[in-house]
Amino acid sequence: MNRIIRIATGTAGALALLGAPVPALAAGQESDTVTTCGWSGLQAGLSTKVCADVSGGDVVLYGQIGLAGPPSPGTPWPPAPQELLTRLSADLAGVGPLGAVAGRTEFRVSTVRVDGVSATVPCGSVVHASFSVEGSLRGPAPVTLDLPVAC
């Protein structure tokens, strides 16, 4: 194919994309869901954190498990799968528990999301969430999130 034809075809394609309608948010409208995560912690040799997706007064809480960093020199790759015990719990400050889940999760290399607690809470309330991971050789060291819910 001739260079000029390739350039003309590429330019026409780019112009077609630029002319396509793009969905936009109306003035004053924000994204429906806001994600907030607490500080990462080290548990069972992995990096963990607890996060919340908030849409109005609806809150979905989950934990994340990922690699803590690059492997040490000489470490076999990929690492052997790890069987982990996970616990996710949440409560509404001054009111009481929103829910809790415990289970087993297999971690390989990719980040794992542990779901399980969701609730509708009053605007202006504070949700406290805790996520812990336990391995065969290490006990839990929970990570937490204190989240004011502003609808």
Side-chain angles (χ1 to χ4, degrees), residues 43-46 67 79-84 105-108 133 135-136:
Q43 299 183 62
L46 301 168
L67 290 174
Q82 295 181 45
E83 182 74 23
L84 304 170
T105 300
E106 186 176 270
F107 179 80
R108 292 180 183 269
V133 173
S136 60

Side-chain angles (χ1 to χ4, degrees), residues 76-107:
W77 192 258
Q82 295 181 45
E83 182 74 23
L84 304 170
L85 299 174
T86 59
R87 290 182 182 83
L88 175 65
S89 64
D91 60 69
L92 196 57
V95 177
L98 292 175
V101 293
R104 294 184 182 278
T105 300
E106 186 176 270
F107 179 80

Side-chain angles (χ1 to χ4, degrees), residues 30-138:
E30 295 182 18
S31 175
D32 292 333
T33 303
V34 176
T35 301
T36 305
C37 294
W39 295 102
S40 294
L42 297 176
Q43 299 183 62
L46 301 168
S47 175
T48 60
K49 62 184 169 181
V50 61
C51 299
D53 290 340
V54 180
S55 179
D58 296 329
V59 179
V60 175
L61 298 155
Y62 57 94
Q64 284 187 337
I65 307 167
L67 290 174
S72 301
T75 303
W77 192 258
Q82 295 181 45
E83 182 74 23
L84 304 170
L85 299 174
T86 59
R87 290 182 182 83
L88 175 65
S89 64
D91 60 69
L92 196 57
V95 177
L98 292 175
V101 293
R104 294 184 182 278
T105 300
E106 186 176 270
F107 179 80
R108 292 180 183 269
V109 176
S110 301
T111 300
V112 175
R113 178 174 162 152
V114 178
D115 289 306
V117 178
S118 60
T120 300
V121 301
C123 296
S125 56
V126 176
V127 173
H128 173 77
S130 175
F131 178 61
S132 66
V133 173
E134 221 174 312
S136 60
L137 301 175
R138 297 192 180 134

